[in-house]
Amino acid sequence: MAEGFTKIVLKSGKDQSLKRFHPWVFSGAIKKTYGPLNEGDLVEVFSNKDEFLGLGHYQIGSITVRIVSFEKTEPDFDFWKTKIQKAWDYRKTLGFDQNEKTNVFRLIHAEGDGLPGLIVDFYNGTAVMQMHSVGMFLIREELAKALKEVLGDRLKAVYDKSAKTLPNKAAIEPEDGYLVGEKAENEVLEYGLKFNIDWVTGQKTGFFIDQRENRWLVQKYAENRDVLNMFGYTGGFSIYAMQGEAKTVHSVDASAKAIDLTNGNVALNFPDDPRHEAFTADAFEYLKDIQDKYDLIILDPPAFAKHRSSMHQALQGYKRINTRAFEQIRSGGILFTFSCSQVISKDRFREAVFSAAAISGRTVRILHQLTQPSDHPVNIYHPEGEYLKGLVLYVE
Ligand code: SAH
């Protein structure tokens, strides 16, 4: 009954990326559509020569179709459940099914797990779903049921947090809430460290799980250092630095709520520890005057560029904050610097950091080149999925 799907035909030559399993169809590639189109519908995509290319969710916008299958199929409950099962099997390969020290991880990473438009983070029994496409949102109940069947007793609750991530053009009125179960334990463990996660009001799904391995690396280098954790949010990097025997740790964030979260998490792990202080301040202001105060600095800003149009400005932003850090970090200092903007490539980010180093005139060596951890997998056919970039630099 494949006739049931509206057909989209691509312009000549625009079929190449789908033939190489890239899961996006851009609006400019479309020649003609046959049939009704509502946001969230499944549509079949064909080449100009009438070859079937893939089946995906239709959406108004520059990415018009997100492919969920490169084979002809009619997705039923088992189709989605099998994808979720495969995502869980992969996490089992990574050891997350029996890791007693870490019970927070990304369970579904959109294109990386063959499920474009869907993010699911697992917080010690609660799965927090974040839908970025209407197609995924419309089948949320099915997805939640499949998650429950795949994870069994391990899963106590499923929380849908899509109201802010769905496109606002859509004729849907998403409201955040529990699809399975109710509010459960919200204290999680990561490498044995405790964090209180607020997925209801927090940023993203509540925690930046993608920095786990990079936080762990900070712990390795923190001993006896004076640490600045800039853009700290929940204080993740600060707590690892303290665990690594840092001399002092300063957390800075522009949001007072983030500072409260940080202080709460520090107290959970290191009650009454005088080594830590948190400040509500703007990064650009704070970095003006830190001359020789720190010998380990972490710069993990929010995505300065969300769209290509703001790329130039974003690169200037990265250059500015990194210049400040290079100019003022103590001799022998270590700088952890990141970009999580998908539209900024690894090379562009490097260039920005390199120019910052050059402006400061310091001698700088690259200790590590960092990215996102393996529970945020990159689909080899979708290189855009590699969004997190980091450099660890030794400043002589
Ligand atoms: N490093 C964090 C994630 C950072 S998210 C972690 O490991 O979890 C980015 C943070 O930057 C947010 O908490 C946001 O409040 C803060 N922020 C945004 N703009 C800022 C600015 N100009 N100065 C300081 N903090 C800022």
Side-chain angles (χ1 to χ4, degrees), residues 10 14-16 18-19 45-48 51-55 67 69-71:
L10 302 186
K14 294 291 186 189
D15 51 357
Q16 286 308 313
L18 259 66
K19 284 184 173 164
V45 183
F46 287 81
S47 74
N48 194 33
E51 300 155 290
F52 173 82
L53 298 171
L55 173 83
I67 301 293
S69 173
F70 289 95
E71 286 165 18

Side-chain angles (χ1 to χ4, degrees), residues 228 283-297 320-331 333 335 360 362 395:
L228 169 63
F284 295 94
E285 283 300 312
Y286 192 91
L287 291 172
K288 274 186 186 157
D289 185 18
I290 54 161
Q291 191 65 45
D292 287 330
K293 265 176 89 174
Y294 300 107
D295 45 20
L296 197 162
I297 297 178
R320 252 173 81 200
I321 55 168
N322 283 284
T323 303
R324 292 276 175 267
F326 281 126
E327 282 171 343
Q328 301 176 83
I329 196 167
R330 274 187 211 141
S331 174
L335 172 64
S360 75
R362 305 284 295 263
V395 187

Side-chain angles (χ1 to χ4, degrees), residues 376-392:
H376 295 60
V378 181
N379 169 351
I380 198 163
Y381 305 115
H382 178 255
E384 296 90 333
E386 187 180 344
Y387 67 97
L388 184 62
K389 301 151 286 280
L391 291 168
V392 185

Side-chain angles (χ1 to χ4, degrees), residues 203 208 211 215 231-234 237 253-255 258 281-283 300-302:
Q203 296 180 43
F208 285 79
Q211 289 285 24
R215 291 193 265 263
F231 307 101
Y233 186 35
T234 56
F237 282 106
D253 200 289
S255 140
D282 173 71
D300 183 27

Side-chain angles (χ1 to χ4, degrees), residues 44 51 108 178 196 268 308 363 369 379 396:
E44 286 190 326
E51 300 155 290
I108 294 176
Y178 287 91
N196 252 317
L268 260 185
R308 283 187 188 282
T363 301
Q369 304 182 49
N379 169 351
E396 206 171 278

